[in-house]
Amino acid sequence: MVLATNLGFPRIGPMRELKKAVEAYWKGKSSIQDLMQVGADLRAKNWKLQQEAGLDHIPSNDFSFYDQILDMTTTLGLIPSRYDWDGEFASVDLSFAMARGAQKDGVDVTAMEMTKWYDTNYHYIVPEFEEGMVPKLSHTKIFQEFEQAKELGILTRPVLIGPATYVFLGKPHYEGFKHEEFVKSLIPVYNEILAGLAQRGCEWVQIDEPVFSLDLCPIGQGVIKTAYEKLEKPEGLKVLVTTYFESLKDNAELAFDLPVDGIHIDLCRGSGRANTTANDADKDVEQALSLIGDEKVLSLGVVDGRNIWKNDIADSLAKVEKAVQKLGRERVFIAGSCSLLHTPVDLNSEEMLDDELKGWMAYATQKLDEIAVIAKGANAGRENIAAALSASNAAQESRKASARIHDKAVEERITGISDEMKERKSPFAERQQVQHAALNIPLYPTTTIGSFPQTKEIRTARSAFKKGEIDEAAYKDAMHSEIKAVVDFQHECDLDILVHGEPERNDMVEYFGEQLSGFAFSKYGWVQSYGSRCVKPPIIFGDVSRPTPMTVEWSTYAQEQTEKIMKGMLTGPITILQWSFVRDDQPRNDTARQIALAIRDEVEDLEAAGIKMIQIDEAAFREGLPLRRDDWKEYLDNAVENFRLSSCVVADETQIHTHMCYSEFNDVIDSIGAMDADVISIECSRSQMELLEAFVNYKYPNEIGPGVYDIHSPRVPDAQEMVDLLEKAKVNLDERQIWVNPDCGLKTRAWPETKEALKNMVSAAKQMREKSKAVKAA
């Protein structure tokens, strides 16, 4: 029988119950027992939901209070030495300290680095490998959750991050690190886990190896072979290795040769992130069938785990039927393309979306039903799912025919794009002189990335306005009051370049999408970004345009409150694209160009309103990079073109900024240079300025703000710590290039820590100026 299976389910809860519980615990408003109970309740609810949907394999250990990679780190006992771990049980509190930083005996302990999970907007905590580390089983979470489900009458399929993936996600902190030797040291712990699960009655284990989505060098291939040659499967326990986010391509033989019982392949590949077509997926099925052999199970990821559009059941079933014809029903699983972690929980919760749009969509809960119905069709025949097939076909046709999708004016404007629209009037060297003269920018200019803390009062006012409980005048008064308070504080701490604080914005992408045509918005479409941070991606369903200005009123009001320069704050086309659920009926770059033109209109209006600096955030620029190098050039060329299309409409005197966060920049530094922003700010503090090396080696000519403190941690670094980081930056950069700013926006931080940190940051910049003066005087 073809089995209906699932690789993972959203852990946050339909109403973000996990976020609320974790943050209450961090604030000391609840106990560890309260937090554990919320986790247990959410897991039980998720398991029962999947059981009721008719799934045959339900995952466990896909739940985490912060991040699944961090959980794997604590399970393996690979705790960095700065946390003074006693070598016994790795607690949840220890995990939180590793993720967020902590204080121990009055000394700050920095958080571990965080970065993007492959090409998604989920962030994981990067493992750190120190010399002398000895892996040992240090957390029994995987056993506890398996047993919890078993007590509920549900035999789950526990999920492990694969040893090869884990090793390549980590960062060695010593010379002479060898991946193959290190993975050997991990396998005894994996074997202990497998043995423990077998003793508890487990039948299948899922080992996630998304490393197969990458270009694997001989070292990478060797690490995988070594890991699985040494993996010991207890009798009666079967292992499914899951690959996702990309087609296997040249890694297919390696995957299907592994001594395991099943292989999962992603047949959606992130809804067009790599220009996927139905033909590509058919080729992937054919490749798998040619290599699967006579015993292994083939798990087909036909339901998209990274987007919210309804599955084309007839098309998915055709792929499944091809596999069944060759392998028989006993050797085929149906699944999502990857974990459903990247989709919202339940479409039935939505009240804001109209029936036509909802008729085209499926959240994680609905995707369970799609998996189950495809499996039923494969087992019982199409005639036994006739109603589901008819509804699916009707949804596909309705979407194609809807007048809401296509806008002739947008199509005509796209055709009119010229090369001149993507070029600044003068090269950077000339612009820099003009800007410094016109804007009077000091050495080590201080600024922030845009957002300031969002208080309960701000959120209440926004919510009341949306609900119609206050009128527009009262809403504007509330926002103006907050903007003035933010500007006054920036005067108080003597920042050089000010921002308005973005009190009117619930999210840096959602805010813009709400004002662009072709977008729709959910009420409960939350997905996890990192830890307790959840985002609600906009839904791009049709052609995009900007009916009216989106930020000009707020920026001009803020500029009226100060004689200093006020930065206009926008989100760039690639980030809007990457952090949205994107229509899958046209190439992604077509949608990106439409967004770029809309942002261009806003840039032009901000400049006309007297805003002299405009920041166009491209936080997701690196995130969108395809996982295979063969696809990089097309993506990067398009991304650069779209940034330039949105920004190259201003005079030389107007300074264009951009911001990128939590990425490895070496792979894309040429393209970052080609974007030709006057100033770029980047995350650097967690990596102790390591991420700056790409810009140094490239000899990046424009100006750069390496973040000097980590806004994702509540700890407040002192001025000297920031001076030390700026000194590191100054070793390889001309001081005229260096800006001083936090790593990212301050929206998620509290006011007290924000005020203290920014005052320290300004003090650090002033100290650097004094040092510069002293050197020049000498």
Side-chain angles (χ1 to χ4, degrees), residues 419-668:
D419 290 342
E420 290 75 17
M421 292 171 70
K422 295 172 273 189
E423 295 290 339
R424 293 290 295 269
K425 294 177 175 60
S426 305
F428 171 73
E430 294 178 23
R431 298 198 309 268
Q432 185 181 38
Q433 292 181 13
V434 171
Q435 289 165 10
H436 280 259
L439 305 176
N440 194 27
I441 300 169
L443 272 181
Y444 299 100
T446 55
T447 188
T448 62
I449 304 304
S451 63
F452 267 71
Q454 298 235 330
T455 62
K456 182 180 179 183
E457 292 74 20
I458 294 171
R459 293 193 298 269
T460 300
R462 276 203 315 259
S463 174
F465 179 55
K466 282 189 173 182
K467 292 175 182 174
E469 295 170 357
I470 61 173
D471 62 17
E472 186 175 2
Y475 170 70
K476 285 186 177 179
D477 284 346
M479 296 301 108
H480 285 166
S481 174
E482 180 64 21
I483 289 170
K484 188 173 189 313
V486 168
V487 172
D488 288 346
F489 165 69
Q490 292 173 91
H491 286 150
E492 177 191 330
C493 75
D494 203 21
L495 280 160
D496 299 308
I497 308 301
L498 310 191
V499 297
H500 78 287
E502 306 176 11
E504 78 286 2
R505 303 183 192 183
N506 46 0
D507 176 83
M508 66 182 286
V509 171
E510 183 175 354
Y511 173 79
F512 290 96
E514 284 176 337
Q515 300 177 76
L516 294 169
S517 63
F519 280 73
F521 293 87
S522 63
K523 186 174 182 180
Y524 299 112
W526 298 100
V527 292
Q528 186 179 20
S529 178
Y530 63 86
S532 68
R533 168 76 169 146
C534 299
V535 293
K536 190 149 52 73
I539 299 158
I540 306 177
F541 67 86
D543 287 341
V544 178
S545 62
R546 186 201 70 150
T548 57
M550 302 179 285
T551 67
V552 175
E553 180 181 356
W554 305 118
S555 291
T556 50
Y557 174 79
Q559 184 65 79
E560 289 165 3
Q561 311 309 307
T562 182
E563 292 182 0
K564 292 190 172 186
I565 294 170
M566 180 64 57
K567 261 195 306 187
M569 303 301 303
L570 304 175
T571 303
I574 298 304
T575 299
I576 291 177
L577 188 82
Q578 288 297 129
W579 292 358
S580 298
F581 291 122
V582 183
R583 59 190 289 192
D584 58 358
D585 60 338
Q586 69 175 14
R588 287 173 67 85
N589 192 53
D590 289 4
T591 304
R593 284 193 297 169
Q594 293 174 1
I595 300 169
L597 287 173
I599 298 301
R600 179 185 180 90
D601 292 342
E602 191 71 12
V603 168
E604 190 170 25
D605 285 348
L606 280 168
E607 184 185 49
I611 302 301
K612 299 178 174 66
M613 287 187 188
I614 301 169
Q615 181 169 309
I616 307 172
D617 286 345
E618 279 296 17
F621 185 90
R622 171 65 174 78
E623 170 191 314
L625 195 65
L627 298 175
R628 292 305 192 106
R629 286 181 179 266
D630 286 350
D631 301 319
W632 282 12
K633 187 178 186 306
E634 180 182 359
Y635 165 78
L636 289 169
D637 287 350
N638 288 337
V640 168
E641 178 184 284
N642 286 314
F643 181 83
R644 294 177 71 111
L645 182 60
S646 61
S647 62
C648 292
V649 68
V650 296
D652 287 349
E653 292 82 358
T654 299
Q655 193 172 68
I656 294 293
H657 290 230
T658 191
H659 170 68
M660 296 183 187
C661 58
Y662 293 103
S663 294
E664 298 287 347
F665 296 111
N666 287 293
D667 294 333
V668 297

Side-chain angles (χ1 to χ4, degrees), residues 354-357 360 401-407 518 520 541-543:
D354 62 80
D355 289 342
E356 182 182 37
L357 189 56
W360 302 336
S402 174
R404 300 168 68 181
I405 303 292
H406 304 290
D407 183 334
F541 67 86
D543 287 341

Side-chain angles (χ1 to χ4, degrees), residues 75-76 135-140 142-143 160 186-200 230-234 237:
T75 297
L76 294 166
K136 68 173 218 173
L137 184 59
S138 303
H139 201 298
T140 55
I142 190 167
F143 301 143
L160 281 166
L186 300 182
I187 298 305
V189 184
Y190 276 85
N191 288 338
E192 187 177 352
I193 292 169
L194 295 182
L197 289 170
Q199 289 166 10
R200 289 165 171 83
K230 295 187 173 298
L231 200 69
E232 297 172 1
K233 287 190 303 166
L237 183 69

Side-chain angles (χ1 to χ4, degrees), residues 89-146:
F89 177 73
S91 68
V92 171
D93 285 332
L94 176 61
S95 292
F96 288 154
M98 293 161 69
R100 306 175 71 233
Q103 272 209 340
K104 186 174 178 62
D105 301 325
V107 177
D108 286 336
V109 182
T110 56
M112 295 170 71
E113 188 178 343
M114 180 167 66
T115 195
K116 304 285 188 183
W117 175 242
Y118 291 83
D119 60 348
T120 75
N121 187 35
Y122 179 81
H123 301 68
Y124 71 93
I125 300 298
V126 179
E128 297 177 14
F129 303 143
E130 297 177 349
E131 194 165 15
M133 275 183 164
V134 179
K136 68 173 218 173
L137 184 59
S138 303
H139 201 298
T140 55
K141 172 182 178 290
I142 190 167
F143 301 143
Q144 293 165 0
E145 294 183 9
F146 178 79

